[in-house]
Amino acid sequence: MWERTLQDLIRGLRANKNDESKFIGQAMDEIRREIKSKDMELKAGAVMKLTYLDMLGYDMNWASFHIIEVMSSPKIHIKSVGYLGAVQSFSEDTDVLMLTTNLLKKDLSSTPADIAVTLNGVSSIMTADLARDLSPELVGMLNHSRPHIRKRAVAAMYRVFQKYPDALHHGIGRLQEKLEDSDPAVVCATVNVLCELARRNPQDYLPLAPQLFHLLTTSSNNWMLIKIVKLFGSLSPHEPRLVKKLQPPITDLISTTSAISLLYECVHTCIIGNMLQGITGDSLARTCVSKLAAFIEDPDQNLKYIALLAMVKIVPTHPHLVAEHQDTILSSVDDEDISIRMRALDLLSALVNRDNLQSIVQQLLSHLVKPESSAIPSAVQSLSQHIIPSTPAKSPGAPSQSTAYRLVLSQRIMTMCSQNTYDNVSDFEWYLSVLVDLAYVSNVDIGTQIRDQLVDVVGRVRAARGYAVKLMVKVLSDDTFLLHAGEQGSCSEVLWAAAWICGEFCSELSAPDELIPYLLQPEIASLRPDIAAVCIQSATKLFGYWASEAAKQWMESFLEDLKQAVDIMIEQMEQLASSTQIEVQERAANVLQLLIFIKRDVAMYKPKQENGFSDPSAAAFDPVSEPSFPKSLYLIQPLFSSHELNPVASIAQASVPVPDGLDLDAWIVPSMQDRVAEGGDDGDVTERKIKRNKKGKEKESGSRTKVKGGKKKQKEGGYQEELAPQEEETAEEKAERERLKAERLERMRDDPYYIMDDRSPKPSAEDVDSIPVVRLDGPLPVSQEEPRLPGLRSSASIRSAPPLFVVQKEGEMPAGVVITSQPSTPVPSSRRQTPNLFDATTTPPPSLPSFQSYEVPDDELRTSTPEPIKVTRAKKKGTSTVKKKRTVKPDMKVGDEGTVVPH
């Protein structure tokens, strides 16, 4: 009967591509018949075909026992096929692998050919049990008379040590002897094994240093030298004396070898082996950097990649040497290979400092600018393409057009500048310009990061605020971000930062009223809700500052401008108040009510008439004199300028002390704890008509609730049935109720969440004592300055010298916190005790006139976080049931006076 060979199987597969599964099925049936045959030649052929099909993805584990039969054949060519099938299909989970122990021992004591085949196969099928059982035989093979057997035994010992570490105790001595073997192949194999073993526990192989050093200085085998150099790279961190010993031979290898692989390994070993320290280390470092720079200029992409990797490791110790090749490194950012570009960015990030930051960032920014290329080729270009056929030219700047790469590049630019709280930035006006340029040219979604950086820089660096406001005015007046706000990569979040900065530091503006139309234009409503809300808030801050400045220098001619500005603001706020976004709607509605109040006050304002005083100072003592401007001009500004904005220390929140008597683990509503503990025991409670008996507080023993028959029916879980009418209360109960009511009204009087009727009973016409006595302040002192337009800054405030940028890195800490690690600067008593978000404003808030309508009583001034508000719920009227009052402490955050959240 004619049987198909492996060659016939391969030809059949190629001829039956359309119906391969059917052909494979027929072939597998044929192989199953052949492998059960007693003819070892036919069985070996079936194993060969199975091995080929296994490489195509078909399972052959079912034939494991037949493979062992082929392995036991005395014929070397059949035995080789069996070991090939075992290497291909056997694993540690193979059941019949335990049957091979005696077979392997027998083959290891057979002829040299059988030993060679067995050593080749046993390395791939080694398990912990086989390593334990075969280690004596394999250790004996290390002294075999034939070099190729010794070399295979050395390689097999690595698998033994891996699976059975206890074999190291009696096998490492024999392995060490092979370093002095007469055959170079055996020595090379031994060095390879030792190099792999030393990667796990280098300190255990330090005694081999003398023999390895001898091989390093005498061998000419580049591949073995690579392994020896790698091995010394693992050993030298654990033995500092090796560094001085290894520097001369490794320096000689770097200078003389022509093998690129050996040269790189020598450089890498110098880096990881701490060989670049000291006087001799500096010269070696210069040599290494020059060699790596040559690799970067090499056309081989692999050499560029490994050179950039190695330079990143040299930068921490010798940045000045790497900086000499800055242009070469920057050229790699334009490489077509994305992996090389990423490694170049890693190197530049490690290389940057205060001296080279600006040059590096400017060159990286240039890679983000898309070149303007004409879509229609010129006539000369068209003719040249027809006459001289050539490959299509690569579009200029193609490497930088990848969205993922542009995102990484933009983030790296910001990381370089902001690392260690802007340690590398010497000119913050330049950095603010870089952030704005990045928003224009990046075309990726990094608007949130740019926004955070802008706000953080302006908050920490006082001297940069004037320039920042000027820059943000240009951003707001440019409609680029506004028109492309819905597009991907538009960075419209920059408008958030621009609006917030202009509103928070509006004192830096020369004409704040001119910026308000840009913040309230109709297109603002189409922006994201958080951006639109900040624009509304900032416009309110600008209007408040402009109005207060107008009040300081009031002239009757300002009245019409004020009315017009208020009308415009009201009109725009009415449109925004109808927004579908709740945040925008709420802020616009709040501001609208303030503006309506100002409009009415301005409409009721009458210009001050001459009162007959010839001396202006005499008018100051007039107790009934009124200010010369509408008092509502000072209504808005105090809402936003009463406190400073300071940076908060990173550990401020964790350092807030827990007040005495506050248990953060206690339940706010104690009765809920019992109810949660009871769980679902009262599953039928929802089927009954019930009423909660405990509303947030345990019912006190003094409260009495009477039902029919004078009894109260309690139910599980703190619930009770509806209560029946109660009997009439006694005189004592009525007096107690009146006393509790008086206490409740007294507490509610100071509660901002309750509107109290403070009107006293209407006094009689002769009741003069009920008229309140107040102190009336005089008018504002007459300003001696020349009248000018409202809100204009004096030109003297413009700096003529470069500012000194001081970055506040530490930030504020809570009051009463003692920092022992480093001394903290004393905090002025006028500063708020609770942490603020950003730095203090450049100029202190202007002093406001104290008029009676806007005067805050002294007893209401708070210098620390107020006590939680206690709200007392009154009893329901019209019922005869007496219920115990409950005191509710709402789980709300009472805003710290010093904490300002940017709007």
Side-chain angles (χ1 to χ4, degrees), residues 35 40 61 120 140 307 351 354 458 623 660 855:
I35 206 168
M40 295 302 295
N61 290 330
N120 289 340
L351 184 64
R354 292 178 69 90
V458 176
D660 296 337
E855 189 171 320

Side-chain angles (χ1 to χ4, degrees), residues 467-734:
Y467 182 80
V469 171
K470 177 182 177 182
L471 198 61
M472 294 304 103
V473 169
K474 293 182 179 179
V475 171
L476 291 172
S477 59
D478 186 6
D479 57 356
T480 302
F481 296 108
L482 197 59
L483 296 177
H484 301 87
E487 300 177 4
Q488 185 177 5
S490 62
C491 296
S492 59
E493 294 84 357
V494 176
L495 295 174
W496 192 105
W500 187 88
I501 291 171
C502 290
E504 189 62 36
F505 306 107
C506 53
S507 59
E508 301 287 344
L509 288 170
S510 58
D513 57 318
E514 297 179 1
L515 187 60
I516 295 177
Y518 292 105
L519 292 171
L520 297 179
Q521 51 188 314
E523 291 80 3
I524 294 295
S526 62
L527 295 176
R528 283 173 26 186
D530 57 334
I531 302 176
V534 171
C535 289
I536 294 172
Q537 201 77 354
S538 297
T540 308
K541 294 179 183 179
L542 290 172
F543 177 81
Y545 175 76
W546 174 74
S548 63
E549 289 293 308
K552 291 180 183 180
Q553 306 158 30
W554 180 256
M555 297 177 61
E556 300 303 333
S557 59
F558 295 165
L559 184 60
E560 293 300 324
D561 294 340
L562 179 61
K563 291 182 179 180
Q564 183 179 2
V566 172
D567 291 338
I568 294 176
M569 287 275 293
I570 290 177
E571 179 183 357
Q572 293 166 336
M573 288 298 173
E574 287 176 345
Q575 297 176 1
L576 293 171
S578 61
S579 172
T580 58
Q581 302 295 333
I582 186 63
E583 180 72 13
V584 177
Q585 180 187 122
E586 184 177 1
R587 295 205 183 198
N590 292 338
V591 176
L592 182 60
Q593 296 303 314
L594 294 175
L595 293 173
I596 291 175
F597 176 82
I598 296 174
K599 181 179 180 180
R600 292 176 180 174
D601 183 63
V602 171
M604 296 174 61
Y605 169 76
K606 295 181 180 180
K608 185 177 179 182
Q609 302 295 331
E610 293 294 335
N611 53 12
F613 289 104
S614 59
D615 185 6
S617 61
F621 296 96
D622 186 2
V624 296
S625 62
E626 289 291 328
S628 60
F629 55 87
K631 292 186 290 184
S632 60
L633 295 183
Y634 279 107
L635 176 64
I636 294 181
Q637 193 198 13
L639 302 177
F640 303 105
S641 60
S642 298
H643 308 287
E644 294 178 332
L645 283 178
N646 299 319
V648 180
S650 58
I651 59 174
Q653 184 64 42
S655 303
V656 176
V658 179
D660 296 337
L662 176 61
D663 186 3
L664 296 178
D665 297 327
W667 282 73
I668 298 176
V669 183
S671 62
M672 291 299 296
Q673 183 178 6
D674 300 333
R675 197 162 299 139
V676 172
E678 292 175 3
D681 294 341
D682 50 350
D684 60 341
V685 75
T686 57
E687 300 177 2
R688 297 172 297 181
K689 187 176 183 181
I690 58 177
K691 188 173 184 180
R692 188 182 300 272
N693 182 37
K694 297 181 181 180
K695 296 183 179 180
K697 290 291 182 180
E698 290 290 345
K699 191 173 183 60
E700 299 180 2
S701 59
S703 62
R704 300 189 303 273
T705 305
K706 297 183 179 181
V707 297
K708 287 183 179 180
K711 295 182 180 179
K712 179 176 60 176
K713 297 182 179 180
Q714 297 286 346
K715 290 199 173 184
E716 291 183 4
Y719 294 93
Q720 66 178 14
E721 294 181 354
E722 290 191 55
L723 300 177
Q726 187 191 7
E727 297 178 358
E728 295 182 0
E729 62 180 354
T730 62
E732 292 80 3
E733 291 176 343
K734 183 176 181 180

